Amino acid sequence: SGYLPSLSVAAICVHPTNTNIIYVLSGDRNTGDGYFVEEYHYRTESQGVFKTVDGGDTWFAAAPLDTMSITARDLIMDTNNPSTLFAATTTGIYKTTNSGQSWEKIMTGSYWDLEFKPGSSDTIYAASNRRLFRSIDGGNSFFERYDIPTSRRISIAVTPANPNLVMLLSGGSLTSDDVLNGVYRSINGGATFASIYTGADGDLFHNYIGSD
């Protein structure tokens, strides 16, 4: 069957040399209630990773990430070794080295975003609600590199034009999700970060959908 048991997809990875092979991480990454999403009537929790080897005509489930209910956040592939993928969820970071036949939880906690350092299979960045972690051994171990105490969500950006440049976009505050907390930059591959914007413009992240 070509049908999937989830209406939402958190992330997609396409094999770099065989584009018929595609992985999707199911679930809604932006809603964390685990139930029906407001008036849209679909469930948010992930049903795990699904894979196609025929360009999307048919799909099958990869091995489960966990036995617990999770919210999916991100999925990345090592383009130098496409059988290795990492999934970020609300229960941890999971790694497969056999194309999804099995997964190992390598970090506990809730994570929003994952990125490889461009051109590297060894350096991986992971963002939680308020912290940036870095691995320099292909995901075998992660260490905290930066903490934004008032942050409620962090997104990571990297660029092949400058592999040592890492940008962080932080949203939220201790009392609100609507605040742009700030923008942070590393020019040494995530070893250190500096604030380059404080988010003083107020509620730039406010969602006006449904507002009067």
Side-chain angles (χ1 to χ4, degrees), residues 3 5 33 46 64 66 88 94-95 109 126 141 148 197 201 211:
Y3 295 99
D33 57 15
S46 176
D66 209 321
Y94 300 81
K95 178 182 180 180
S141 57
I148 308 170
Y197 180 71
D201 291 336
S211 300

Side-chain angles (χ1 to χ4, degrees), residues 65-82:
L65 296 175
D66 209 321
T67 57
M68 298 181 290
S69 176
I70 63 174
T71 299
R73 295 282 174 68
D74 202 9
L75 183 70
I76 61 172
M77 175 187 288
D78 181 358
T79 56
N80 296 316
N81 184 7

Side-chain angles (χ1 to χ4, degrees), residues 6-86:
S6 175
L7 290 177
S8 52
V9 171
I12 302 173
C13 287
V14 181
H15 194 288
T17 59
N18 183 353
T19 55
N20 283 321
I21 300 176
I22 306 169
Y23 299 82
V24 300
L25 177 60
S26 65
D28 189 324
R29 64 173 288 163
N30 294 310
T31 304
D33 57 15
Y35 300 98
F36 287 103
V37 180
E38 299 177 355
E39 66 270 24
Y40 301 109
H41 303 299
Y42 66 89
R43 295 184 69 85
T44 67
E45 73 268 19
S46 176
Q47 301 297 318
V49 175
F50 291 84
K51 180 180 179 181
T52 178
V53 295
D54 54 15
D57 288 337
T58 58
W59 295 84
F60 58 91
L65 296 175
D66 209 321
T67 57
M68 298 181 290
S69 176
I70 63 174
T71 299
R73 295 282 174 68
D74 202 9
L75 183 70
I76 61 172
M77 175 187 288
D78 181 358
T79 56
N80 296 316
N81 184 7
S83 62
T84 297
L85 296 93
F86 295 83

Side-chain angles (χ1 to χ4, degrees), residues 60-144:
F60 58 91
L65 296 175
D66 209 321
T67 57
M68 298 181 290
S69 176
I70 63 174
T71 299
R73 295 282 174 68
D74 202 9
L75 183 70
I76 61 172
M77 175 187 288
D78 181 358
T79 56
N80 296 316
N81 184 7
S83 62
T84 297
L85 296 93
F86 295 83
T89 76
T90 50
T91 60
I93 296 175
Y94 300 81
K95 178 182 180 180
T96 179
T97 58
N98 55 18
S99 304
Q101 296 179 53
S102 61
W103 297 84
E104 175 189 4
K105 182 188 282 189
I106 58 174
M107 288 278 280
T108 59
S110 181
Y111 297 88
W112 280 101
D113 205 0
L114 292 169
E115 293 286 352
F116 278 101
K117 181 179 180 180
S120 172
S121 296
D122 294 325
T123 300
I124 306 163
Y125 308 108
S128 68
N129 290 349
R130 54 176 278 190
R131 294 182 172 91
L132 190 282
F133 297 85
R134 182 181 69 168
S135 173
I136 57 173
D137 58 8
N140 292 322
S141 57
F142 282 84
F143 297 93
E144 182 182 323

